[in-house]
PDB file of all heavy atoms in Angstrom:
ATOM      1  N   GLU A 580       5.860  23.191  50.407  1.00 88.00           N
ATOM      2  CA  GLU A 580       6.133  24.544  49.938  1.00 88.00           C
ATOM      3  C   GLU A 580       5.218  24.939  48.788  1.00 88.00           C
ATOM      4  O   GLU A 580       4.841  26.100  48.645  1.00 88.00           O
ATOM      5  CB  GLU A 580       7.597  24.615  49.489  1.00 88.00           C
ATOM      6  CG  GLU A 580       8.100  26.012  49.202  1.00 88.00           C
ATOM      7  CD  GLU A 580       9.589  26.029  48.916  1.00 88.00           C
ATOM      8  OE1 GLU A 580      10.262  24.998  49.126  1.00 88.00           O
ATOM      9  OE2 GLU A 580      10.074  27.082  48.475  1.00 88.00           O
ATOM     10  N   LEU A 581       4.816  23.949  47.971  1.00 92.00           N
ATOM     11  CA  LEU A 581       3.992  24.230  46.801  1.00 92.00           C
ATOM     12  C   LEU A 581       2.499  24.092  47.062  1.00 92.00           C
ATOM     13  O   LEU A 581       1.694  24.456  46.209  1.00 92.00           O
ATOM     14  CB  LEU A 581       4.379  23.277  45.660  1.00 92.00           C
ATOM     15  CG  LEU A 581       5.792  23.432  45.103  1.00 92.00           C
ATOM     16  CD1 LEU A 581       6.062  22.374  44.044  1.00 92.00           C
ATOM     17  CD2 LEU A 581       5.988  24.820  44.522  1.00 92.00           C
ATOM     18  N   GLY A 582       2.118  23.537  48.192  1.00 93.00           N
ATOM     19  CA  GLY A 582       0.704  23.344  48.469  1.00 93.00           C
ATOM     20  C   GLY A 582       0.133  22.063  47.898  1.00 93.00           C
ATOM     21  O   GLY A 582      -1.073  21.963  47.657  1.00 93.00           O
ATOM     22  N   ILE A 583       0.989  21.061  47.667  1.00 93.00           N
ATOM     23  CA  ILE A 583       0.530  19.757  47.178  1.00 93.00           C
ATOM     24  C   ILE A 583       0.335  18.839  48.376  1.00 93.00           C
ATOM     25  O   ILE A 583       1.285  18.563  49.114  1.00 93.00           O
ATOM     26  CB  ILE A 583       1.558  19.142  46.200  1.00 93.00           C
ATOM     27  CG1 ILE A 583       1.731  20.050  44.986  1.00 93.00           C
ATOM     28  CG2 ILE A 583       1.118  17.748  45.764  1.00 93.00           C
ATOM     29  CD1 ILE A 583       2.788  19.577  44.011  1.00 93.00           C
ATOM     30  N   GLY A 584      -0.889  18.365  48.559  1.00 86.00           N
ATOM     31  CA  GLY A 584      -1.187  17.571  49.744  1.00 86.00           C
ATOM     32  C   GLY A 584      -0.714  16.130  49.664  1.00 86.00           C
ATOM     33  O   GLY A 584      -0.370  15.518  50.666  1.00 86.00           O
ATOM     34  N   ASP A 585      -0.692  15.563  48.470  1.00 90.00           N
ATOM     35  CA  ASP A 585      -0.326  14.157  48.297  1.00 90.00           C
ATOM     36  C   ASP A 585       1.047  14.092  47.637  1.00 90.00           C
ATOM     37  O   ASP A 585       1.198  14.408  46.448  1.00 90.00           O
ATOM     38  CB  ASP A 585      -1.365  13.451  47.429  1.00 90.00           C
ATOM     39  CG  ASP A 585      -1.164  11.936  47.392  1.00 90.00           C
ATOM     40  OD1 ASP A 585      -0.124  11.464  47.874  1.00 90.00           O
ATOM     41  OD2 ASP A 585      -2.057  11.234  46.868  1.00 90.00           O
ATOM     42  N   ALA A 586       2.071  13.694  48.406  1.00 90.00           N
ATOM     43  CA  ALA A 586       3.437  13.625  47.882  1.00 90.00           C
ATOM     44  C   ALA A 586       4.049  12.287  48.263  1.00 90.00           C
ATOM     45  O   ALA A 586       3.981  11.869  49.420  1.00 90.00           O
ATOM     46  CB  ALA A 586       4.278  14.767  48.437  1.00 90.00           C
ATOM     47  N   ARG A 587       4.659  11.620  47.283  1.00 89.00           N
ATOM     48  CA  ARG A 587       5.236  10.299  47.523  1.00 89.00           C
ATOM     49  C   ARG A 587       6.670  10.268  47.016  1.00 89.00           C
ATOM     50  O   ARG A 587       6.923  10.552  45.835  1.00 89.00           O
ATOM     51  CB  ARG A 587       4.408   9.219  46.816  1.00 89.00           C
ATOM     52  CG  ARG A 587       2.935   9.272  47.195  1.00 89.00           C
ATOM     53  CD  ARG A 587       2.143   8.187  46.532  1.00 89.00           C
ATOM     54  NE  ARG A 587       0.709   8.351  46.782  1.00 89.00           N
ATOM     55  CZ  ARG A 587      -0.222   7.480  46.431  1.00 89.00           C
ATOM     56  NH1 ARG A 587       0.134   6.367  45.795  1.00 89.00           N
ATOM     57  NH2 ARG A 587      -1.489   7.707  46.694  1.00 89.00           N
ATOM     58  N   GLY A 588       7.591   9.903  47.892  1.00 84.00           N
ATOM     59  CA  GLY A 588       8.989   9.792  47.531  1.00 84.00           C
ATOM     60  C   GLY A 588       9.416   8.344  47.403  1.00 84.00           C
ATOM     61  O   GLY A 588       8.639   7.420  47.647  1.00 84.00           O
ATOM     62  N   ASP A 589      10.687   8.168  47.005  1.00 79.00           N
ATOM     63  CA  ASP A 589      11.266   6.830  46.819  1.00 79.00           C
ATOM     64  C   ASP A 589      10.421   5.989  45.855  1.00 79.00           C
ATOM     65  O   ASP A 589      10.236   4.792  46.053  1.00 79.00           O
ATOM     66  CB  ASP A 589      11.397   6.109  48.167  1.00 79.00           C
ATOM     67  CG  ASP A 589      12.292   6.870  49.139  1.00 79.00           C
ATOM     68  OD1 ASP A 589      13.401   7.264  48.724  1.00 79.00           O
ATOM     69  OD2 ASP A 589      11.868   7.074  50.289  1.00 79.00           O
TER      70      ASP A 589
END
Side-chain angles (χ1 to χ4, degrees):
E580 190 174 350
L581 295 177
I583 299 176
D585 189 350
R587 306 182 187 187
D589 300 311

